Amino acid sequence: MIIDSHNHVIAPKDLEAYKGGLLSARGAHGKGSTGLTTEAMAAAKWQGTRSHTDILDEVGTDLALISARPYTLMHCEKPEQIVHWFAEATNDAIAMQVKAFPDRFRGVGCLPQCYGVSPANCIPELERCVNKLGFVGISINPDPGEGEGITPAMGDEHWYPLYEKMVELDVPALIHSASCRNPRLSYSVHFINEETITVVSLANSRVFEDFPNLKLIVSHGGGAVPYQIARWRAGRFNQMARGGKVERFDDSIRKLYYDTCVYNQESLDLLFKIVGTDRCLFGTENPGTGTAVDPDSGAYLDDLRPVIERIEWLSAADKQRIFEDNAAAVFSRLNAAAKV
């Protein structure tokens, strides 16, 4: 089985219109309704051309774990209530898509994160996603300040209320930055920056001592860390030389998981060699940013299954771990979700 652990919901324009209404009135007219139905979700198409299931069939994905389009989540907007309402509406849309195609999708919930507010504000929606909607995981934006404000990095105790609830419910989180208001950064650059900060912060923290069963998956191959790892190795080696009783940086980052959502074989080779195939989950974000045709090969950049399959130095067991086994272990609620 091919499980895509990093996939996003395709929703009709109704969800965008609902967001526009919330932003225009700032919640003055109440929560309102999206008007979405299971039938509308089933008929939704990527950029008006192909259905989500058509895309899965084209690339050979059996099961997609779908989360929100992160850039839509408006975590900096005020009042806080409209952020909650839109997160709830998006999760309802995800649940409708799962209901429409129960053999092809599982839900990964978004959280109503608000800049300057404790992540504890997300716990009721997290519980609803898992206990009522049957979702198998959540996504976390490490920077609800969207490139402008300052939020403690994910190794800080600021995040502990959320980690505690995740461990209690046994759900993993996909770490995925969202929108960016800083004009110096495109959202893609912002993603890589925030994922890099997240990996380094967690590697230098007590988080996995305090929460040994916490499961975090870092999007886009871990940001810059696996590809610039010697910079952080050097810091640890210097600590060791001064008599510090610290583990190697490579051991610290192997407490995290990573998706394969990088769009070239050279980066995948390095990712697998640095963090190990036992820490990598197949993820493509297809359809998304990488859904562009490479003029040299004629293939979509985010059609990653054949790219991984042709890496000769990977064993059959390595590929089985990447495509299925790691996701099944990390998303422990997958089997239970099929019965919801």
Side-chain angles (χ1 to χ4, degrees), residues 77-98:
E77 298 294 343
K78 302 293 182 185
E80 183 182 343
Q81 190 63 65
I82 67 171
V83 181
H84 282 257
W85 287 342
F86 187 68
E88 291 165 9
T90 302
N91 288 328
D92 288 342
I94 293 169
M96 289 180 195
Q97 188 165 333
V98 173

Side-chain angles (χ1 to χ4, degrees), residues 7-16 36-56 66-69 71 90 93-94 96-98 101 105 285-288 291:
N7 212 267
H8 297 305
V9 67
I10 295 176
K13 297 295 184 183
D14 306 67
L15 190 61
E16 293 179 20
L36 286 171
T37 64
T38 300
E39 291 73 22
M41 290 301 304
K45 293 185 176 181
W46 168 250
Q47 297 183 342
T49 59
R50 297 177 295 163
S51 73
H52 205 155
T53 52
D54 287 341
I55 294 168
L56 299 186
I66 51 173
S67 55
R69 297 271 170 192
Y71 68 86
T90 302
I94 293 169
M96 289 180 195
Q97 188 165 333
V98 173
F101 302 101
F105 299 107
E285 214 169 35
N286 181 4
T291 308

Side-chain angles (χ1 to χ4, degrees), residues 16-333:
E16 293 179 20
Y18 176 70
K19 176 182 176 180
L22 291 179
L23 287 171
S24 297
R26 295 289 156 182
H29 303 312
K31 184 176 183 179
S33 171
T34 63
L36 286 171
T37 64
T38 300
E39 291 73 22
M41 290 301 304
K45 293 185 176 181
W46 168 250
Q47 297 183 342
T49 59
R50 297 177 295 163
S51 73
H52 205 155
T53 52
D54 287 341
I55 294 168
L56 299 186
D57 291 340
E58 288 172 18
V59 299
T61 294
D62 297 300
L63 186 67
L65 311 187
I66 51 173
S67 55
R69 297 271 170 192
Y71 68 86
T72 69
L73 293 177
M74 59 184 196
H75 290 146
C76 256
E77 298 294 343
K78 302 293 182 185
E80 183 182 343
Q81 190 63 65
I82 67 171
V83 181
H84 282 257
W85 287 342
F86 187 68
E88 291 165 9
T90 302
N91 288 328
D92 288 342
I94 293 169
M96 289 180 195
Q97 188 165 333
V98 173
K99 183 177 180 180
F101 302 101
D103 295 331
R104 306 305 301 274
F105 299 107
R106 296 288 181 272
V108 174
C110 63
L111 300 179
Q113 296 176 249
C114 299
Y115 175 60
V117 178
S118 167
N121 82 318
C122 300
I123 289 175
E125 184 63 7
L126 168 55
E127 291 178 322
R128 186 179 82 97
C129 285
V130 175
N131 296 329
K132 183 175 180 180
L133 301 181
F135 287 2
V136 300
I138 58 169
S139 58
I140 297 176
N141 175 9
D143 177 36
E146 297 183 347
E148 291 185 341
I150 299 175
T151 298
M154 293 194 71
D156 192 271
E157 291 185 11
H158 170 81
W159 298 93
Y160 275 26
L162 194 54
Y163 296 159
E164 183 176 9
K165 181 58 66 171
M166 287 171 56
V167 171
E168 176 189 325
L169 295 174
D170 190 23
V171 290
L174 179 70
I175 308 305
H176 197 310
S177 188
S179 184
C180 182
R181 295 179 172 221
N182 188 328
R184 297 180 66 245
L185 303 172
S186 69
Y187 75 89
S188 286
V189 174
H190 183 57
F191 289 172
I192 303 305
N193 286 352
E194 287 302 320
E195 288 143 10
T196 303
I197 292 167
T198 293
V199 173
V200 174
S201 173
L202 288 165
N204 289 329
S205 76
R206 291 182 44 86
V207 166
F208 289 101
E209 295 175 47
D210 295 336
F211 300 97
N213 295 321
L214 184 67
K215 294 179 287 191
L216 300 174
I217 308 149
V218 188
S219 297
H220 311 119
V225 173
Y227 320 97
Q228 296 284 340
I229 191 167
R231 301 187 67 86
W232 293 286
R233 282 175 176 165
R236 288 292 175 89
F237 292 160
N238 285 332
Q239 285 180 272
M240 292 175 183
R242 293 192 294 269
K245 294 182 179 180
V246 294
E247 65 183 2
R248 289 172 177 261
F249 188 76
D250 297 59
D251 294 330
S252 295
I253 66 171
R254 275 182 45 78
K255 294 172 182 173
L256 297 161
Y257 294 91
Y258 305 83
D259 71 17
T260 63
C261 194
V262 294
Y263 301 133
N264 60 294
Q265 182 175 331
E266 297 87 347
S267 294
L268 287 168
D269 279 328
L270 187 58
L271 175 65
F272 297 147
K273 289 176 181 177
I274 293 296
V275 304
T277 58
D278 60 323
R279 308 305 288 187
C280 293
L281 284 67
F282 182 65
T284 68
E285 214 169 35
N286 181 4
T289 299
T291 308
V293 175
D294 181 343
D296 295 327
S297 68
Y300 282 103
L301 290 172
D302 54 13
D303 186 5
L304 293 176
R305 177 183 176 182
V307 178
I308 294 171
E309 286 178 333
R310 65 172 173 257
I311 297 178
E312 295 180 356
W313 64 269
L314 291 177
S315 68
D318 287 328
K319 294 173 185 177
Q320 176 68 22
R321 282 191 287 268
I322 293 165
F323 286 130
E324 179 179 4
D325 292 352
N326 293 340
V330 173
F331 290 91
S332 59
R333 288 177 171 264

